[in-house]
Every structure is written in C-alpha cells, then in structure tokens.
Amino acid sequence: MTGAERSVALYASDMPTGFSWSRGVTPQVIVWVMQGVDRLGFDDVYRSGMEVEYYRVLRLAGQVPSETRRWLRGRFPDRVRLGCVERAAALLTFRLGDHEPVSGFVGDDSFRVYRAYGDDVDEVGV
C-alpha cells in the first residue's frame, strides 16, 4: 500500500484522533489500516489514495483547484484527524522500512519459491 492509501484507511478506522506514536504500537496501527480497508473496500481505498496523492502533488506545486479542495474537505472533514492519520501513515511507512526481509521459501505445497535477500542473494544458484 502507498502512504496515501494508508492515510485513507486509517481515517476510516477506529484509530483515536489524538493518537500519538510510541514504542510498540506498530502492530496496532497495522490492525487499524486493515480495519479501514475492510470498511471501505480496497477499490475505494485505492481510488481515494490516488486522489490524495494527486492533491499532495498539486499542493506542493501551489496549484490546488477549488474543486479538489472541496473534495478533500468532503472526504476528510476533520482536519485534526487528517493530520493525525497522515503522521501515523508516514511513521508506519518508516517503521516497516526498518525490517529487512528474511531469506527463505514462500508459497504452499503446490508452488514454492526461495526468495533470497541481503547476503544470501549471491549464494543462490539458478
């Protein structure tokens, strides 16, 4: 998921508006993201995430049309909550990047693939 999609999902979740990141909350934030996706459906999260990303690009360029501002206010009426979920989505992206994937087999009994990461990549024969 993109950061914008995570923001959309978190906004729709039960995450408290006054949420503040602290040590050990990453699993709970992931649960809230999944809850938001369940409530909205992935298609809506995907489309809304694209629109949020489009808004962010326009905002950086200083060229946000009034209809885009109206859409954003209609979709995310609570500005405080929006700021809170944007911070949480950004921190979640940062925290998920801390974990290096582990080499090993993935798949089930019908189809398995060995994925190699880090130092294991040069040791795997094709």
Side-chain angles (χ1 to χ4, degrees):
M1 294 182 79
T2 67
E5 290 167 348
R6 287 186 187 120
S7 293
V8 170
L10 284 171
Y11 194 92
S13 76
D14 288 341
M15 186 184 91
T17 296
F19 173 76
S20 180
W21 199 278
S22 60
R23 186 178 195 140
V25 299
T26 302
Q28 179 58 54
V29 176
I30 292 170
V31 168
W32 286 327
V33 169
M34 293 182 334
Q35 182 185 56
V37 171
D38 285 343
R39 285 184 179 169
L40 299 175
F42 187 76
D43 288 342
D44 188 24
V45 170
Y46 175 76
R47 277 191 309 275
S48 295
M50 286 178 42
E51 291 170 341
V52 166
E53 196 58 43
Y54 174 70
Y55 168 77
R56 287 178 181 165
V57 170
L58 290 175
R59 185 176 64 186
L60 287 172
Q63 300 179 359
V64 181
S66 58
E67 63 270 7
T68 304
R69 282 195 184 106
R70 280 193 300 278
W71 173 85
L72 188 70
R73 280 190 220 111
R75 181 68 193 222
F76 307 103
D78 187 342
R79 302 297 295 162
V80 173
R81 181 167 181 75
L82 181 59
C84 182
V85 300
E86 284 180 334
R87 284 188 298 279
L91 284 167
L92 179 59
T93 301
F94 175 74
R95 294 297 302 157
L96 292 175
D98 283 351
H99 305 289
E100 183 174 331
V102 177
S103 298
F105 284 98
V106 295
D108 57 22
D109 291 336
S110 64
F111 183 78
R112 290 177 42 152
V113 175
Y114 187 84
R115 289 193 178 160
Y117 299 97
D119 293 338
D120 291 342
V121 172
D122 59 349
E123 298 173 12
V124 176
V126 178

mmCIF file of all heavy atoms in Angstrom, residues 100 103 116-124:
data_model
loop_
_atom_site.group_PDB
_atom_site.id
_atom_site.type_symbol
_atom_site.label_atom_id
_atom_site.label_comp_id
_atom_site.label_asym_id
_atom_site.label_seq_id
_atom_site.Cartn_x
_atom_site.Cartn_y
_atom_site.Cartn_z
ATOM 1 N N GLU A 100 14.411 -5.768 7.503
ATOM 2 C CA GLU A 100 14.938 -6.378 6.292
ATOM 3 C C GLU A 100 14.270 -7.733 6.122
ATOM 4 O O GLU A 100 14.168 -8.507 7.079
ATOM 5 C CB GLU A 100 16.447 -6.555 6.399
ATOM 6 C CG GLU A 100 17.059 -7.112 5.134
ATOM 7 C CD GLU A 100 18.570 -7.155 5.183
ATOM 8 O OE1 GLU A 100 19.163 -6.321 5.863
ATOM 9 O OE2 GLU A 100 19.139 -8.059 4.554
ATOM 10 N N SER A 103 15.488 -14.317 4.116
ATOM 11 C CA SER A 103 15.529 -15.300 3.035
ATOM 12 C C SER A 103 14.803 -16.568 3.451
ATOM 13 O O SER A 103 14.806 -16.940 4.625
ATOM 14 C CB SER A 103 16.981 -15.639 2.683
ATOM 15 O OG SER A 103 17.656 -14.499 2.215
ATOM 16 N N ALA A 116 15.682 -14.825 -1.879
ATOM 17 C CA ALA A 116 16.944 -14.523 -1.214
ATOM 18 C C ALA A 116 17.107 -13.013 -1.081
ATOM 19 O O ALA A 116 16.839 -12.262 -2.015
ATOM 20 C CB ALA A 116 18.103 -15.106 -2.005
ATOM 21 N N TYR A 117 17.529 -12.579 0.112
ATOM 22 C CA TYR A 117 17.746 -11.161 0.389
ATOM 23 C C TYR A 117 19.130 -10.968 1.011
ATOM 24 O O TYR A 117 19.687 -11.888 1.612
ATOM 25 C CB TYR A 117 16.689 -10.631 1.357
ATOM 26 C CG TYR A 117 15.276 -10.743 0.838
ATOM 27 C CD1 TYR A 117 14.475 -11.812 1.196
ATOM 28 C CD2 TYR A 117 14.749 -9.776 0.000
ATOM 29 C CE1 TYR A 117 13.176 -11.911 0.724
ATOM 30 C CE2 TYR A 117 13.466 -9.873 -0.489
ATOM 31 C CZ TYR A 117 12.680 -10.953 -0.110
ATOM 32 O OH TYR A 117 11.408 -11.035 -0.583
ATOM 33 N N GLY A 118 19.640 -9.765 0.898
ATOM 34 C CA GLY A 118 20.892 -9.419 1.575
ATOM 35 C C GLY A 118 22.047 -10.278 1.117
ATOM 36 O O GLY A 118 22.264 -10.481 -0.093
ATOM 37 N N ASP A 119 22.810 -10.815 2.049
ATOM 38 C CA ASP A 119 23.997 -11.602 1.746
ATOM 39 C C ASP A 119 23.676 -12.926 1.075
ATOM 40 O O ASP A 119 24.540 -13.546 0.462
ATOM 41 C CB ASP A 119 24.804 -11.865 3.018
ATOM 42 C CG ASP A 119 25.407 -10.604 3.597
ATOM 43 O OD1 ASP A 119 25.563 -9.624 2.837
ATOM 44 O OD2 ASP A 119 25.722 -10.589 4.803
ATOM 45 N N ASP A 120 22.448 -13.412 1.202
ATOM 46 C CA ASP A 120 22.069 -14.697 0.602
ATOM 47 C C ASP A 120 21.911 -14.628 -0.906
ATOM 48 O O ASP A 120 21.946 -15.650 -1.589
ATOM 49 C CB ASP A 120 20.749 -15.202 1.189
ATOM 50 C CG ASP A 120 20.879 -15.612 2.634
ATOM 51 O OD1 ASP A 120 22.025 -15.838 3.079
ATOM 52 O OD2 ASP A 120 19.842 -15.732 3.306
ATOM 53 N N VAL A 121 21.750 -13.443 -1.458
ATOM 54 C CA VAL A 121 21.460 -13.304 -2.889
ATOM 55 C C VAL A 121 22.558 -13.923 -3.740
ATOM 56 O O VAL A 121 22.290 -14.655 -4.690
ATOM 57 C CB VAL A 121 21.247 -11.830 -3.268
ATOM 58 C CG1 VAL A 121 21.151 -11.649 -4.762
ATOM 59 C CG2 VAL A 121 19.986 -11.305 -2.604
ATOM 60 N N ASP A 122 23.813 -13.691 -3.406
ATOM 61 C CA ASP A 122 24.908 -14.207 -4.248
ATOM 62 C C ASP A 122 25.184 -15.693 -4.001
ATOM 63 O O ASP A 122 25.976 -16.295 -4.706
ATOM 64 C CB ASP A 122 26.180 -13.383 -4.044
ATOM 65 C CG ASP A 122 26.661 -13.389 -2.606
ATOM 66 O OD1 ASP A 122 25.913 -13.851 -1.719
ATOM 67 O OD2 ASP A 122 27.773 -12.898 -2.357
ATOM 68 N N GLU A 123 24.528 -16.310 -3.040
ATOM 69 C CA GLU A 123 24.758 -17.718 -2.735
ATOM 70 C C GLU A 123 23.706 -18.638 -3.362
ATOM 71 O O GLU A 123 23.815 -19.856 -3.266
ATOM 72 C CB GLU A 123 24.750 -17.929 -1.219
ATOM 73 C CG GLU A 123 25.853 -17.165 -0.518
ATOM 74 C CD GLU A 123 25.748 -17.241 0.983
ATOM 75 O OE1 GLU A 123 24.959 -18.070 1.494
ATOM 76 O OE2 GLU A 123 26.436 -16.462 1.660
ATOM 77 N N VAL A 124 22.711 -18.072 -4.005
ATOM 78 C CA VAL A 124 21.621 -18.871 -4.564
ATOM 79 C C VAL A 124 21.909 -19.152 -6.031
ATOM 80 O O VAL A 124 22.129 -18.237 -6.816
ATOM 81 C CB VAL A 124 20.263 -18.140 -4.416
ATOM 82 C CG1 VAL A 124 19.155 -18.931 -5.078
ATOM 83 C CG2 VAL A 124 19.970 -17.884 -2.970
#
